[in-house]
């Protein structure tokens, strides 16, 4: 029997329609790149093993967070919709991890290098993408666009500021990745504790100097990872941040206070580049037992959007 937690978020007809609109809006803005993901199009996969610390056993029955090591697939990516975009030109980076559970089944955790998302609801995501598209078509000038974004989408402020302050990473292995959404950890009595996850690089965070930026190739992050993994693994600690009573669990545009208790859930050892497995979809609502989804509307929406993107890309011939 698979250990997947009661499937993905349920997909209603209206979710599916809105997902089609979201993917359509992204395609209108950025074009279609046949065979590629509609976001985070450029990426590289690696094999990894997760060594749990065992410290989470009091909070969750999730099999990947007990004693036993579990294997995982990692996909690092640039956030652009264009697979040919140079690594330096897509500011945020992604790290998606798919754990293979001991009893069968999978559980996903998907992170990016900014701590919060720019849209609070799927509807505002679609509105924002359409607004940027209008601006691109010349219907809105740059100043109008900024005014529009500030007056209608003030929820984006923290995320846009975080993106603005990002510096080009020296390596995919030296970024701090935030899984953004709150989840619940569920213990053996059924008690739920809100939690957010972060991947913290053992080597520390390293970015490029201005001089180094000018020396990088279009795909320097992939090349660096290839060379690095031939010598030693890239290692990340998985940190769980425990939420308290008033911490919002349904709003991905808000972070929690800095003083929240953290638990080290274990370390991920990434050892070897692999070809992307066929049909890999890093749906963040596919989670193990011992975890549960919160009511974050963006988290739940991602399930239908990712399947819409997968549906389109899997029917296309990949352009080289
Ligand atoms: C309305 C909200 C969002 C939309 C519409 C959206 C859209 C997409 C789409 C269409 C894909 C490609 C899926 C595929 O073909 O497999 C994708 C991938 C991705 N997204 Fe999102 N996304 C959203 C929110 C987020 C958030 C909050 C995060 C932050 C953790 C995130 C991080 C990523 C990453 C890292 C990938 C690459 C996954 C992989 O390597 O397979 N996305 N997104």
């Amino acid at each position: 029997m698979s250990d997947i937690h009661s499937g993905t978020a349920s997909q209603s007809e209206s979710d599916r329609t809105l997902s089609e609109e979201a993917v359509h809006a992204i395609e209108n803005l950025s074009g279609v790149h046949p065979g590629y993901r509609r976001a985070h199009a450029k990426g590289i996969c690696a094999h990894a093993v997760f060594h749990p610390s065992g410290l989470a056993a009091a909070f969750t029955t999730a099999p990947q967070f007990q004693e036993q090591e579990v294997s995982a697939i990692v996909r690092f990516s640039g956030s652009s919709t264009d697979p040919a975009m140079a690594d330096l030109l897509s500011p945020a980076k992604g790290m998606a991890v798919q754990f293979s559970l001991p009893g069968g089944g999978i559980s996903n955790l998907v992170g990016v290098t900014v701590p919060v998302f720019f849209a609070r609801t799927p509807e505002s995501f679609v509105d924002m993408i359409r607004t940027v598209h209008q601006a691109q078509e010349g219907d809105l000038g740059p100043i109008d666009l900024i005014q529009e974004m500030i007056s209608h989408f003030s929820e984006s402020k923290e995320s846009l500021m975080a993106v603005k302050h990002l510096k080009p990473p020296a390596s995919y292995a030296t970024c701090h990745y935030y899984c953004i959404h709150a989840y619940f950890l569920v213990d053996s009595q059924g008690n739920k504790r809100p939690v957010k996850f972060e991947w913290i690089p053992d080597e520390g965070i390293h970015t490029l100097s201005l001089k180094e930026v000018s020396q990088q190739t279009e795909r320097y992050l992939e090349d660096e990872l290839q060379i690095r993994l031939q010598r030693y693994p890239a290692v990340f600690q998985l940190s769980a941040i425990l939420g308290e009573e008033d911490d919002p669990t349904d709003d991905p545009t808000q972070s929690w206070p800095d003083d929240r208790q953290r638990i080290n859930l274990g370390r991920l050892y990434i050892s070897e580049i692999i070809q992307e497995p066929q049909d890999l979809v890093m749906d963040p609502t596919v989670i193990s037992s011992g975890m549960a989804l919160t009511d974050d509307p963006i988290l739940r929406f991602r399930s239908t959007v990712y399947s819409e993107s997968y549906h389109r890309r899997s029917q296309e011939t990949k352009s080289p």
Side-chain angles (χ1 to χ4, degrees):
M1 182 66 192
S2 143
D3 209 346
I4 297 178
H5 172 265
S6 59
T8 55
S10 62
Q11 303 188 349
S12 68
E13 194 53 46
S14 62
D15 283 344
R16 274 194 292 276
T17 308
L18 197 54
S19 296
E20 284 168 18
E21 285 176 21
V23 174
H24 192 63
I26 297 173
E27 290 178 349
N28 271 347
L29 182 67
S30 327
V32 175
H33 303 280
Y36 287 89
R37 285 168 174 72
R38 276 12 186 197
H40 291 259
K42 182 186 194 187
I44 184 164
C45 288
H47 169 75
V49 175
F50 184 67
H51 297 238
S53 66
L55 296 175
F59 299 97
T60 176
T61 56
Q64 69 276 31
F65 301 143
Q66 305 304 311
E67 300 287 329
Q68 195 181 335
E69 291 171 11
V70 292
S71 69
I73 296 165
V74 181
R75 182 173 180 272
F76 290 108
S77 58
S79 52
S80 174
T81 53
D82 180 354
M85 177 77 79
D87 290 342
L88 281 169
L89 297 180
S90 72
K93 306 300 175 200
M95 175 177 167
V97 179
Q98 183 165 96
F99 297 93
S100 295
L101 302 175
I106 54 170
S107 188
N108 297 328
L109 267 185
V110 183
V112 285
T113 48
V114 284
V116 285
F117 194 53
F118 57 85
R120 186 173 185 173
T121 63
E123 290 79 4
S124 65
F125 173 88
V126 174
D127 277 358
M128 281 181 211
I129 300 295
R130 285 181 179 154
T131 304
V132 176
H133 185 224
Q134 273 181 343
Q136 197 185 45
E137 297 286 291
D139 295 353
L140 275 183
I143 298 196
D144 293 336
L145 175 65
I146 292 166
Q147 270 170 356
E148 185 79 1
M149 296 297 275
I150 291 172
S151 59
H152 284 92
F153 308 118
S154 56
E155 71 208 56
S156 305
K157 200 169 161 200
E158 193 180 335
S159 166
L160 295 178
M161 292 307 285
V163 172
K164 192 175 154 202
H165 287 112
L166 282 174
K167 295 196 175 121
S171 164
Y172 276 133
T174 60
C175 296
H176 185 134
Y177 297 91
Y178 304 83
C179 301
I180 293 190
H181 306 288
Y183 289 84
F184 291 113
L185 290 180
V186 187
D187 70 15
S188 54
Q189 306 300 308
N191 300 312
K192 287 179 172 177
R193 183 87 201 238
V195 70
K196 287 191 182 189
F197 299 99
E198 294 178 14
W199 291 107
I200 303 170
D202 264 20
E203 221 181 273
I205 298 165
H206 296 288
T207 54
L208 297 176
S209 66
L210 270 181
K211 188 175 166 213
E212 287 166 334
V213 163
S214 64
Q215 295 160 350
Q216 303 308 318
T217 63
E218 298 215 325
R219 36 168 296 146
Y220 77 95
L221 286 174
E222 293 180 18
D223 295 342
E224 194 278 343
L225 193 68
Q226 296 257 14
I227 294 167
R228 169 186 290 265
L229 297 188
Q230 280 162 16
R231 290 161 48 207
Y232 47 84
V235 186
F236 288 84
Q237 185 199 115
L238 179 59
S239 184
I241 296 108
L242 299 181
E244 293 185 10
E245 192 150 342
D246 292 328
D247 294 339
T249 54
D250 60 354
D251 185 352
T253 66
Q254 282 193 50
S255 28
W256 289 347
D258 288 338
D259 62 358
R260 295 296 179 251
Q261 187 191 344
R262 286 175 174 262
I263 315 173
N264 165 13
L265 295 182
R267 280 196 156 67
L268 184 73
Y269 291 79
I270 304 171
S271 56
E272 192 189 349
I273 303 293
I274 55 168
Q275 275 234 314
E276 178 170 339
Q278 240 194 338
D279 304 331
L280 182 71
V281 183
M282 296 288 197
D283 178 342
T285 69
V286 174
I287 50 176
S288 68
S289 57
M291 291 176 71
L293 300 178
T294 53
D295 280 337
D296 180 335
I298 293 281
L299 172 60
R300 288 170 177 266
F301 182 62
R302 286 172 70 190
S303 182
T304 35
V305 176
Y306 288 28
S307 80
E308 178 63 27
S309 170
Y310 172 71
H311 176 70
R312 294 188 191 200
R313 65 180 163 91
S314 60
Q315 293 183 339
E316 298 162 344
T317 306
K318 206 168 197 172
S319 54

